[in-house]
Amino acid sequence: MKKPKKCISVEEARKEQDEWVKTRGKDIREAEGYEDTREFWYSLDELQEYLDYVREKSKEQGVEKPGIRFYLGAYPKTKEKKSYTTMFLSPTKEAQGDTESTEEDTDPNNYEIEPMNITHGGYPPKDY
């Protein structure tokens, strides 16, 4: 199998992670008073199962080019728990109109298919 076109090098991934830690990670640490989760893990089986589910549900709806959008969220803060970051996957459907994508016509979320959460986030976070 050929390597996908959008792969980046390990070095580029490390640079991007380091930049996040030095900027946004630092701001979150200072504002919240603790180091937040910044990496999330899914098994390939979980991801494949969800991708298959989205593909099948999209097909039933006549959506020819489904996609997945990744969102960051945060769990509610309680007396017992800090408000750690989470990530969830949201199905999308193709934008109507031109094939040229702009901010106004990016693929919209498909709210007829449930998002996926329940990830495993590293705490303390694992550096890349």
Side-chain angles (χ1 to χ4, degrees):
M1 177 175 180
K2 287 174 54 176
K3 177 174 69 173
K5 292 178 183 178
K6 294 187 178 183
C7 285
I8 63 171
S9 69
V10 169
E11 293 77 21
E12 183 61 29
R14 283 193 175 119
K15 284 173 32 180
E16 291 176 7
Q17 172 70 178
D18 289 346
E19 185 64 22
W20 191 95
V21 170
K22 287 189 285 188
T23 58
R24 291 148 188 84
K26 178 183 173 210
D27 292 342
I28 292 170
R29 245 186 338 274
E30 290 173 0
E32 296 295 323
Y34 58 89
E35 187 162 17
D36 197 0
T37 306
R38 66 174 180 265
E39 43 88 11
F40 306 93
W41 181 88
Y42 293 96
S43 73
L44 286 178
D45 289 341
E46 288 171 322
L47 282 175
Q48 191 62 58
E49 178 184 45
Y50 187 67
L51 295 175
D52 291 345
Y53 172 73
V54 169
R55 189 177 305 278
E56 182 63 30
K57 289 291 189 185
S58 296
K59 187 176 181 179
E60 290 172 10
Q61 297 171 355
V63 174
E64 293 182 27
K65 296 180 182 177
I68 299 290
R69 182 171 284 121
F70 293 77
Y71 278 97
L72 293 177
Y75 293 111
K77 187 176 189 176
T78 67
K79 290 181 182 181
E80 299 82 31
K81 288 185 146 185
K82 296 175 181 168
S83 178
Y84 287 111
T85 297
T86 187
M87 183 181 67
F88 61 92
L89 285 61
S90 172
T92 64
K93 48 190 169 184
E94 68 271 10
Q96 303 302 309
D98 294 341
T99 56
E100 293 294 317
S101 183
T102 66
E103 260 186 58
E104 293 80 35
D105 69 0
T106 57
D107 293 354
N109 291 334
N110 187 341
Y111 294 111
E112 296 174 44
I113 302 174
E114 299 84 358
M116 177 184 178
N117 189 345
I118 315 302
T119 67
H120 304 283
Y123 193 83
K126 295 172 181 52
D127 289 329
Y128 184 80

